[in-house]
């Protein structure tokens, strides 16, 4: 069962070769054995999971059950889950148990998925390392050849990525604001999809930057992601930014092939200091697509260089506002004080970690009167230019190929002390987020130390299907099969 | 008759602009499905959205948008087909999300105007700068516990229309007239109940003073004044304060002030230095609000007749005076009542009875038109009895009093009390002859030229006939018999 994909498990379940209960027990025991080292889960819910598996088995026995019947998943702890602790990896919500279910997890439950627990993340999804969680850092299940140095899984969906990579879930939910699905997927050697903004409801997902946040699937391969996204996506009247258009059967797009497809290679994504092995992997990706019948075309996204700075203005402005509600008055932790202002200060100081506080302060600054025009307004204008870049590019190409991240996973203790250096991790993923276009990362190869590297495909608005088609071609060519050092199969 | 404050250095003019917060009449709140009803146990009309729970998102309530558009149309204002919601960020215990969703840069309604009428019958136009939609905040309750404050979120998220006037108002009287007119329009439209006691309409008052012909001087904002009388008082008091400062050689600071009606003063609430930096920006949870021209046209077509139009029509259709039409249209319910009474009746008679005895009866019993003890139909019936000479006007007054008391229909009362008018010539004539016989001395006086005695004979006859005689017939017959 260790190396089973979600699709294979689903087949085995429907053929009754395994039971949902067995599958869930297997994962729960793997978590118990391994997650002490990885810390990918903040909380597990074994009883609920077994109950759900039992219900799934009952449905399977009758030949009923939804598309994910009996499939054990990890849920990023940014999704509110009814009656289950939802912390956003923050002290301020350490004890928070929502009495409601996010739409995305509701959709998964509708399709009879089984939730193993809530996965770790950077606090309030702010980070690219998963080092900012109030529940401790997540360790990447991968290790450099011949070294047991602890590596970061990427962020912010690092817990989800690590759990999937280590065999502690068949799939997981992530959220991506500037690369938080794609970058950890790349660091952990799995696939992850950030759908078009508006494709998945944000209702019940704790907000970081509302105009950018988008839920998406993380799994071993793109087929699994396609299955998961099909369940997660869809119109939700409870989210005004959620788009009312039918959800395609993404699985059907996987084998479309790429014949005649024009693949844009943006010249701006090849900076002088791009590591050689990243550049080489990118060239390899181009070659795979060409061999399968696609036509690589140089394209230009001229405003790419402004992506990161404008992202950090827009995202943090929104974050400073979205996090204002955590003030100790209604829910979450409260630090008592003599006055209301003192209560806010003490609560927010104790409740938020350093990175979150830094971002709130920066976001507050850029929105302040007197600075608004210089920062926020200008960033919004640049954002429009970035969107236009993609629209122009997609007049000539069907999909855009880039690396996912500028490096492989780095060690916990190698984390740059300069926060700006950390922010550079998102340099390739941020522009697609700013534009709201869909993008995915797939595991495409290994670096010199045996660590996974990812390639990113970016598509037109609501054209996830083309991404799946192109990605699947590359996936087959890459034949990525290596397992990480920390894996359920190695401890069983 | 312009309003001036006479200072030591001469006359000062006042400049006033009003920001009126009007609570939208709707079933649900602006961005949640929770009830927008007034009152209720604390925190019983609160959804997770209103309480700012993690992951909760706002979804606009179309009816609130329609109400804002109707109001804009009623204020002869521009309707913006595209508007936007911004977040106004500030920390306050009764502001659950840490921001208020409000329209700041792009309101749904732009410039318009309101015509006001002053005591001397003159009219003025007060410009409307804008109307925007926003969420109300909750309420902090500091008097429930000696050490703690409680928060009631029932009002949090309720839709408000903020109606901002131009600084066109030049006297307390104009401010009062403007607020009354605004309230009248809102009530006609059914978009706000205008109830200032319950806080569903409240005003922020911006006051400055200047010498004639000068540009504007610094203004102060008096927050949350909750009655028309207080608005007028606060303007007077604040303007006086500012004049005194300027005349003493000081400067008025731009600040937010509070009106203390008990002490008859305004007090500083916060000054500009610690004014909030609200950090506005477009709410990323909401798309720009785009409405269709056709939808607006549909709302326009379905608007009720507004006070001005109704007034003009009443004057034309029912020949009531300008003064009477003003009273009859003060509230939609009064106008409706009048039109029901006047239908197929003598409209002048209807107006006289409404404005005279009927309103008198309402005042006396402390009732409003909505819970009047006499229905429009009943009053209409009374007029019919007068017109067809079943009863005369004097008897009708008696009948109306009985109606107010018993709620019976006028014909029932007339029958019960036997008040039917006597139009039988021989009966009246017999009665007159008896009076004339009994007062032969007065008859002689009359005939020798003391005309005034005619009234005496009428009175005696009516008295003898218990008021039920037809007065015209009494007159005619008296004249005839006296000249015999």
């Amino acid at each position: 069962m260790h190396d089973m994909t979600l699709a294979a498990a689903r087949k085995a379940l429907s053929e009754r070769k395994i039971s949902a209960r067995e599958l869930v027990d297997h994962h729960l025991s793997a978590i118990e054995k391994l997650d002490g080292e990885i810390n990918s889960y903040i909380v597990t819910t074994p009883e609920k999971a077994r109950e759900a598996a039992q219900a799934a088995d009952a449905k399977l026995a009758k030949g009923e059950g939804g598309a994910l019947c009996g499939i054990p998943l990890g849920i990023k702890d940014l999704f509110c889950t009814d009656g289950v602790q939802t912390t956003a990896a923050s002290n301020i919500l350490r004890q928070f148990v929502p009495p409601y279910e996010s739409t995305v997890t509701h959709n998964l439950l509708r399709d009879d998925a089984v939730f193993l627990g809530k996965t770790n993340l950077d606090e309030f999804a702010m980070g690219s390392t998963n080092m900012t969680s109030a529940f401790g850092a997540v360790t990447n299940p991968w290790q450099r050849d011949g070294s047991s140095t602890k590596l970061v899984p990427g962020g912010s969906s690092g817990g989800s990525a690590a759990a999937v990579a280590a065999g502690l879930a068949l799939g997981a939910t992530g959220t991506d604001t500037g690369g938080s699905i794609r970058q950890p997927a790349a660091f952990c050697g799995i696939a992850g999809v950030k759908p078009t903004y508006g494709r998945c409801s944000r209702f019940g997902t704790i907000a970081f930057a509302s105009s950018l946040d988008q839920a998406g699937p993380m799994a071993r391969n793109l087929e699994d992601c396609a299955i998961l996204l099909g369940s997660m996506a869809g119109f939700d009247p409870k989210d005004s930014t959620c788009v009312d258009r039918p959800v395609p059967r993404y699985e059907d797009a996987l084998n479309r092939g790429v014949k005649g497809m024009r693949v844009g290679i943006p010249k701006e994504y090849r900076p002088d200091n791009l590591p050689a092995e990243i550049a080489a992997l990118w060239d390899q990706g181009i070659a795979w697509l060409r061999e399968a019948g696609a036509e690589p075309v140089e394209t230009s996204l001229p405003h790419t260089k402004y992506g990161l700075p404008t992202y950090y203005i827009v995202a943090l402005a929104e974050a400073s506002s979205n996090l204002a509600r955590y003030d100790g008055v209604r829910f979450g932790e409260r630090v008592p004080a003599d006055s209301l202002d003192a209560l806010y200060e003490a609560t927010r100081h104790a409740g938020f970690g350093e990175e979150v506080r830094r971002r709130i302060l920066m976001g507050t600054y850029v929105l302040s009167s007197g600075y608004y025009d210089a920062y926020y307004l200008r960033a919004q204008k640049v954002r429009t230019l970035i969107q236009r870049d993609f629209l122009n590019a997609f007049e000539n190409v069907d999909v855009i190929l880039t690396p996912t991240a500028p490096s492989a996973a780095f060690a916990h203790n190698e984390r740059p002390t300069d926060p700006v250096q950390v922010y550079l991790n998102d340099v390739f993923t941020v522009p697609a987020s700013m534009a709201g276009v869909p993008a995915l990362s797939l595991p495409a190869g290994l670096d010199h130390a045996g660590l996974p590297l990812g390639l990113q495909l970016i598509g037109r608005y609501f054209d996830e299907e083309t991404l799946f088609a192109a990605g699947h071609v590359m996936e087959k060519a890459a034949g990525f099969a290596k397992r990480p050092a920390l894996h359920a199969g190695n401890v069983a | 008759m312009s309003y001036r404050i006479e200072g030591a250095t001469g006359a000062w003019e006042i400049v006033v602009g009003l920001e009126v917060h009007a609570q939208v009449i709707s079933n649900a709140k602006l961005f949640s499905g929770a009830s927008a009803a007034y009152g209720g146990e604390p925190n019983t009309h609160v959804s997770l959205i209103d309480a700012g729970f993690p992951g909760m998102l706002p979804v606009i309530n179309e009816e609130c948008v329609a109400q804002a558009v109707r109001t804009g149309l009623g204020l002869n204002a521009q309707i913006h087909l595209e508007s936007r919601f911004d977040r106004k960020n500030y920390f306050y215990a009764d502001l659950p999300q840490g921001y208020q969703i409000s329209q700041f840069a792009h309101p749904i309604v732009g410039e318009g105007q309101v015509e006001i009428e002053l005591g001397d019958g003159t009219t003025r136009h007060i410009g409307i700068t804008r109307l925007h939609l926003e969420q109300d905040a909750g309420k902090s309750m500091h008097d429930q516990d000696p050490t703690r404050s409680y928060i009631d979120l029932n009002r949090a998220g309720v839709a408000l229309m903020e109606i901002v006037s131009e600084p066109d108002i030049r006297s307390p009287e104009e401010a009062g007239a403007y607020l009354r007119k605004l309230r009248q329009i809102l009530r006609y439209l059914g978009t706000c109940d205008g109830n200032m006691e319950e806080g569903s309409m409240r005003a922020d008052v911006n006051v400055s003073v200047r010498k004639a012909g000068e540009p504007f001087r610094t203004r102060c904002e008096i927050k949350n004044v909750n009655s028309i009388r207080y608005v007028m008082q606060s303007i007077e008091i604040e303007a006086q304060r500012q004049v005194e400062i300027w005349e003493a050689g000081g400067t008025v600071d731009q600040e937010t002030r509070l009106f203390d009606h008990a002490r008859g003063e305004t007090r500083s609430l916060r000054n500009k230095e610690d004014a909030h930096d609200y950090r506005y920006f477009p709410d990323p949870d909401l798309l720009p609000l785009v409405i269709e021209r056709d939808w607006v046209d549909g709302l326009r077509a379905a608007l009720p007749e507004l006070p001005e139009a109704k007034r003009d029509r009443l004057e034309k259709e029912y020949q009531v005076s300008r003064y009477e039409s003003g009273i009859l249209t003060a509230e939609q319910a009064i106008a409706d009542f009048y039109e029901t009474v006047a239908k197929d009746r003598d409209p002048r008679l209807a107006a006289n009875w409404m404005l005279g005895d009927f309103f008198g009866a309402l005042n006396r019993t402390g009732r409003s038109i909505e819970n009047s003890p006499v229905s429009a139909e009943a009053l209409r019936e009374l007029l019919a009895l007068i017109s067809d000479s079943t009863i005369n006007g004097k008897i009708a007054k008696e009948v109306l009093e009985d109606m107010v008391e018993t709620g019976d229909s006028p014909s029932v009362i007339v029958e019960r009390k036997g008040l039917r008018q006597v139009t039988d010539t021989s009966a009246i004539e017999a009665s007159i002859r008896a009076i004339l016989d009994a007062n032969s001395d007065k008859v002689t006086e009359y005939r020798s030229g003391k005309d005034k005695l005619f009234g005496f004979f009428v009175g005696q006859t009516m008295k003898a006939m218990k008021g039920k005689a037809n007065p015209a017939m009494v007159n005619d017959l008296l004249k005839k018999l006296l000249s015999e």
Side-chain angles (χ1 to χ4, degrees), chain A residues 271-283:
Chain A
D272 293 340
N273 57 355
L274 187 69
E277 51 188 355
I278 302 278
L281 181 81
W282 193 5
D283 291 337

Side-chain angles (χ1 to χ4, degrees), chain A residues 261-265 285-287 289-291 293-299 397 399 401:
Chain A
M261 198 184 278
R262 289 167 66 89
V263 180
I265 312 299
I286 297 168
L289 287 171
R290 183 188 284 120
E291 281 155 27
E295 185 195 344
V297 189
E298 189 188 74
T299 189
V397 303
V399 68
L401 178 69

Side-chain angles (χ1 to χ4, degrees), chain A residues 386-397:
Chain A
I386 291 171
Q387 281 165 340
R388 205 168 295 159
D389 276 1
F390 280 101
L391 288 174
N392 290 340
F394 284 124
E395 301 229 320
N396 294 310
V397 303

Side-chain angles (χ1 to χ4, degrees), chain A residues 74-133:
Chain A
I75 301 300
K76 185 178 185 176
D77 203 19
L78 204 62
F79 293 90
C80 290
T81 41
D82 193 352
V84 176
Q85 195 182 346
T86 299
T87 70
S90 181
N91 277 324
I92 212 158
L93 287 175
R94 188 172 275 270
Q95 310 292 343
F96 179 61
V97 179
Y100 46 91
E101 190 75 36
S102 81
T103 297
V104 161
T105 51
H106 168 89
N107 290 348
L108 293 168
L109 292 172
R110 172 203 61 204
D111 290 343
D112 300 312
V114 174
F115 295 168
L116 298 166
K118 306 298 286 289
T119 58
N120 208 341
L121 64 150
D122 278 302
E123 183 179 0
F124 279 104
M126 296 179 186
S128 315
T129 61
N130 223 297
M131 302 286 284
T132 73
S133 168

Side-chain angles (χ1 to χ4, degrees), chain B residues 3 5 13-20 124-127 129 164-176 178-179 203-210 216-217 219-222 231-232 234-239 242:
Chain B
Y3 181 86
I5 295 176
E13 178 186 51
I14 67 166
V15 178
V16 174
L18 291 170
E19 292 168 23
V20 172
R124 278 206 63 205
H125 285 98
I126 306 297
T129 313
V164 182
S165 86
E166 295 285 318
D168 287 349
I169 295 165
R170 293 286 174 274
S171 72
E173 189 202 357
E174 286 182 16
Y178 169 76
L179 284 169
D204 295 345
V205 189
N206 286 287
V207 181
S208 66
V209 296
R210 66 174 175 187
F216 295 145
R217 295 199 184 197
R219 68 188 156 86
C220 290
E221 183 184 40
I222 309 162
V231 167
M232 294 168 70
S234 68
I235 291 169
E236 242 180 279
I237 288 164
E238 174 61 17
Q242 293 184 12

